[in-house]
């Protein structure tokens, strides 16, 4: 019996040794292979706020991979212009890109769903829909034909309605308004009689200063103060009906991604998820103070969009979404998925988030 036991233990130990050897070899081989990737962005290099997400991502990936995956960030115009990021990554000129999906509605109208939908999901809900409500699967299906894998990689939370050099008292004031507002929000403004313009972030200040545009939306106080929009605009309007929870994207060339060992693929995924949450945390912390500075130090005139205007815009947005959902089979499936998620989230949030905000406010009084 004792001999048998000794033999079994010996066999077990030999087995363990072999397993350890194999793991050791696999680890050693994996660690030899290094990758140097290019990441192109729609933001100028070292652009404050959301523009720092690509740098943040690259640092995390390099640290987590022990330098096996190095990501070099190229700002807008350094390797390719801002609005050529999608094509550059699709074709493999760069392995990765960072920007916003609604810049690519020229490729497929349905891309607009994955940044933000006017009167749609907020950041918390968007993250829920993407990661646990089927949103990310649909996004990946949509980008598959472009040889791209998308990841959520940044969220600013509810934005501001924007900077205006014209007071908005009724829908009449939207007529003829030249406003930088991309995506579906821009389509709503156009339908309301305005002129929506898509200008990349780096050109906004000058466009507003020289009167090329009458209004612009960028992000929210923390990010907007860095660009000095308060120096070129009179009024700062809220709420950001057009971008309640905008997601930024990391796009990865599919062929390049498939060449990565599994552990590096996991690192890319986890780093994107970390950057996605990190941005929201940063905006949540810094918008408060930035708003105080804008109002108290710079004398910014904070204005709420009239209820009548918000109601009208909401009606136009609903019509537009119906039409967009008829654009293609995938657009219909995305629209149905997001609408059903929003219906449920709205019901539950009435008795959770909304009820809590109300309860807290009552406590303040
Ligand atoms: Ca925006």
């Amino acid at each position: 019996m004792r001999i048998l036991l000794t033999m079994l233990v010996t066999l077990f130990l030999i087995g363990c040794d072999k397993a350890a050897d194999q793991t050791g070899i696999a680890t050693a081989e994996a660690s030899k292979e290094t990758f140097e990737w290019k990441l192109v962005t729609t933001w100028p290099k070292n652009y404050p706020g959301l523009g720092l997400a690509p740098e943040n991502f690259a640092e995390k990936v390099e640290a987590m991979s022990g330098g096996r995956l190095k990501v070099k960030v190229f700002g807008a115009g350094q390797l390719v212009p801002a609005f050529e990021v999608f094509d550059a990554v699709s074709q493999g000129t760069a392995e990765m890109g960072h920007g916003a999906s609604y810049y690519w509605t020229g490729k497929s109208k349905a891309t607009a769903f994955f940044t933000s939908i006017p009167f749609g999901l907020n950041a918390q809900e968007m993250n829920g829909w993407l990661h646990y409500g089927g949103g990310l699967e649909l996004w990946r299906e949509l980008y598959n034909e472009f040889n791209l894998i998308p990841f959520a990689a940044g969220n600013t939370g509810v934005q501001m309605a924007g900077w205006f050099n014209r007071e908005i008292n009724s829908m009449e004031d939207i007529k003829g308004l030249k406003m930088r507002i991309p995506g579906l929000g821009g389509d709503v403004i156009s339908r309301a009689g305005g002129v929506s313009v898509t200008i990349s972030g780096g050109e906004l200040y000058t466009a507003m200063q020289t009167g090329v545009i009458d209004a612009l939306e960028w992000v929210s106080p923390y990010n907007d103060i860095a660009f000095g929009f308060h120096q070129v605009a009179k009024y700062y309007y809220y709420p950001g009906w057009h971008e309640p929870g905008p997601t930024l994207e990391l796009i990865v060339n599919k062929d390049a991604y498939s060449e990565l060992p599994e552990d590096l693929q996991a690192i890319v995924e986890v780093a994107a998820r970390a950057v996605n949450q990190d941005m929201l945390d940063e905006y949540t912390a810094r918008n408060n103070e930035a708003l105080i500075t804008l109002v108290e130090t710079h004398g910014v005139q904070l204005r709420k969009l009239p209820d009548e205007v918000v109601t009208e815009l909401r009606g136009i947005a609903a019509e537009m979404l119906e039409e967009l959902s008829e654009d293609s089979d995938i657009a219909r499936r995305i629209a149905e998925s997001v609408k059903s998620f929003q219906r449920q989230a709205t019901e539950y949030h009435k008795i959770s988030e909304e009820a809590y905000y109300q309860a807290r406010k009552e406590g303040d009084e």
Side-chain angles (χ1 to χ4, degrees), residues 47 199-213 216 224 226-233:
Y47 203 50
I199 300 174
S200 71
E203 297 160 32
L204 281 179
Y205 183 96
T206 311
M208 193 72 173
Q209 192 178 34
T210 55
V212 170
I213 47 175
L216 68 88
D224 292 1
F227 296 100
F229 294 140
H230 53 279
Q231 295 158 6
V232 290

Side-chain angles (χ1 to χ4, degrees), residues 139-184:
W139 195 1
R140 292 199 169 159
E141 185 185 334
L142 178 68
Y143 276 29
N144 191 48
E145 67 166 299
F146 302 103
N147 199 36
L148 294 170
I149 304 173
F151 297 82
N155 197 311
T156 63
V158 182
Q159 298 199 354
M160 292 289 285
W163 296 91
F164 291 71
N165 271 328
R166 183 194 282 193
E167 263 189 283
I168 305 296
N169 296 314
S170 73
M171 288 303 284
E172 277 307 302
D173 298 313
I174 307 279
K175 303 244 155 49
L177 181 84
K178 278 183 289 171
M179 179 168 186
R180 182 276 182 186
I181 173 168
L184 296 172

